[in-house]
Amino acid sequence: MCEKLLSIQSVAEILDVSRRSVYRYIALGELSAIDLRTGTERSRVRISGSDVKALVERRTSSPASSGSRAN
C-alpha cells in the first residue's frame, strides 16, 4: 500500500511551524520532498508521513535520567 503524502501546509500544521520552516527542513535534508508537478504548472511538493514522523523522533529529546542525587 502507498503511504499518505502530505502537503507543505499540512506538514507545517502538524509540526506547528511555518511553511518556510518546512522548506528549510527540506533544504537541510531533514525532510525528503516529492515534486508531483506535471508540465509547467506550479510545484506540487509532498512529503511522506513517515519522513515527518522520523523528523519528530530525531528532534525529540530524551528525558533526563532519573537517578538518585547525592545530597
Side-chain angles (χ1 to χ4, degrees):
M1 246 198 233
C2 287
E3 85 177 273
K4 180 140 177 138
L5 297 177
L6 305 168
S7 68
I8 295 293
Q9 184 62 41
S10 294
V11 173
E13 290 171 6
I14 289 167
L15 298 176
D16 194 24
V17 297
S18 68
R19 290 170 41 103
R20 184 179 212 163
S21 292
V22 175
Y23 281 111
R24 200 172 302 128
Y25 289 137
I26 293 168
L28 292 170
E30 296 272 354
L31 289 171
S32 298
I34 302 165
D35 192 347
L36 300 174
R37 175 182 22 211
T38 57
T40 59
E41 66 183 76
R42 68 185 182 134
S43 179
R44 297 214 184 274
V45 174
R46 297 293 182 262
I47 299 166
S48 71
S50 62
D51 268 9
V52 175
K53 182 179 177 184
L55 172 67
V56 170
E57 288 171 355
R58 283 193 308 273
R59 294 287 184 118
T60 300
S61 58
S62 51
S65 39
S66 57
S68 57
R69 294 185 196 180
N71 289 332

